[in-house]
Amino acid sequence: MTVDLELLRTIFSGATLVSVVIAYFSLRATKKKQQDDFDANHDKEIIVQAKLSLGWAYETIEISSESNMPKADRLMWLTSARHILRYYNLRDSLKTSMYKTICAEHEEYSRHKFYRMFFNSNFLFGSYFKKSDGSGYSENIEVRSAMVLSIFSQWNDNIVDPIDSFTKEDLEAQNPYRGDLGRGIQHYQEILECELSKMK
């Protein structure tokens, strides 16, 4: 039995080439996994501080027991606005979609809390924000800090509302009319449909 050396060399060369390709893709997969793990660990630490910053921003605003409104304290408003701005920096440094979603959830919860705090007709007039000591210049609340908090407390039109991803028909297919709440919703829809038909 004679061994064809040329055939063996070709087989070994092919096997070596296959091994190199497998090693390359294995290395690539390992590098990607390492980067994904690094990003997830990075985001995990960032999200902890982002949540703290949102909480501190809200807790910094003290509510007056007399007026049931935020106190018109310059430092309090500045500090709260600074926490919000730092939160934005943290949020924008997130890399993974999972942690971006988690962060958006915390932001929405905090936004609602701020919205409720600022939903008061006493804010409609500039007198809330100014000094009441009778001095010539009445600046008390730093305007930019108030603007930051106002912007944060409002719904951002660039955010895709998850509610918009469902139609009424999609939800009806999941039988939302069970229980007391469900029956109330069904009755509420009937009332609205009746009112709409009368308007036509």
Side-chain angles (χ1 to χ4, degrees):
M1 173 185 222
T2 58
V3 177
D4 185 357
L5 288 177
E6 201 57 42
L7 178 61
L8 282 176
R9 284 187 195 139
T10 304
I11 291 172
F12 284 127
S13 295
T16 303
L17 181 60
V18 168
S19 297
V20 168
V21 169
I22 289 171
Y24 169 76
F25 284 109
S26 177
L27 178 66
R28 232 175 111 183
T30 301
K31 289 275 189 195
K32 170 124 177 55
K33 173 81 169 97
Q34 286 174 340
Q35 185 63 48
D36 290 348
D37 290 345
F38 177 81
D39 290 347
N41 287 332
H42 168 269
D43 285 2
K44 188 175 183 179
E45 295 200 18
I46 294 292
I47 203 78
V48 169
Q49 182 57 50
K51 286 168 46 180
L52 287 171
S53 294
L54 287 174
W56 293 338
Y58 184 79
E59 291 167 11
T60 298
I61 305 282
E62 295 176 23
I63 303 297
S64 167
S65 58
E66 294 143 17
S67 66
N68 203 27
M69 286 184 63
K71 292 180 180 177
D73 180 275
R74 179 182 181 89
L75 181 59
M76 189 174 68
W77 281 70
L78 277 166
T79 303
S80 181
R82 289 173 183 140
H83 285 303
I84 293 293
L85 294 172
R86 289 186 190 112
Y87 160 77
Y88 287 149
N89 287 337
L90 292 164
R91 178 198 66 188
D92 294 345
S93 73
L94 292 171
K95 299 175 181 177
T96 62
S97 61
M98 177 183 70
Y99 281 107
K100 287 177 182 179
T101 300
I102 291 169
C103 191
E105 283 295 296
H106 288 287
E107 183 175 327
E108 184 56 30
Y109 175 74
S110 296
R111 175 176 285 108
H112 180 70
K113 287 171 62 174
F114 273 94
Y115 174 80
R116 289 184 51 163
M117 184 191 323
F118 296 140
F119 187 73
N120 189 317
S121 60
N122 290 318
F123 285 114
L124 292 173
F125 306 100
S127 58
Y128 167 82
F129 298 97
K130 58 185 210 166
K131 284 183 193 171
S132 57
D133 63 3
S135 63
Y137 188 61
S138 61
E139 180 185 31
N140 179 32
I141 304 298
E142 207 279 335
V143 173
R144 291 172 301 169
S145 68
M147 293 169 86
V148 166
L149 295 177
S150 176
I151 291 166
F152 181 78
S153 71
Q154 304 300 317
W155 179 259
N156 183 338
D157 290 333
N158 295 327
I159 294 175
V160 177
D161 189 340
I163 294 288
D164 292 339
S165 65
F166 292 94
T167 65
K168 197 170 101 174
E169 292 75 20
D170 293 336
L171 296 170
E172 285 174 344
Q174 298 178 44
N175 195 8
Y177 304 122
R178 293 176 288 189
D180 294 342
L181 176 63
R183 285 192 286 280
I185 293 168
Q186 190 171 26
H187 182 69
Y188 173 59
Q189 281 184 285
E190 291 166 1
I191 292 169
L192 293 178
E193 289 168 4
C194 182
E195 289 175 352
L196 279 174
S197 68
K198 289 179 182 176
M199 294 170 116
K200 291 180 181 179

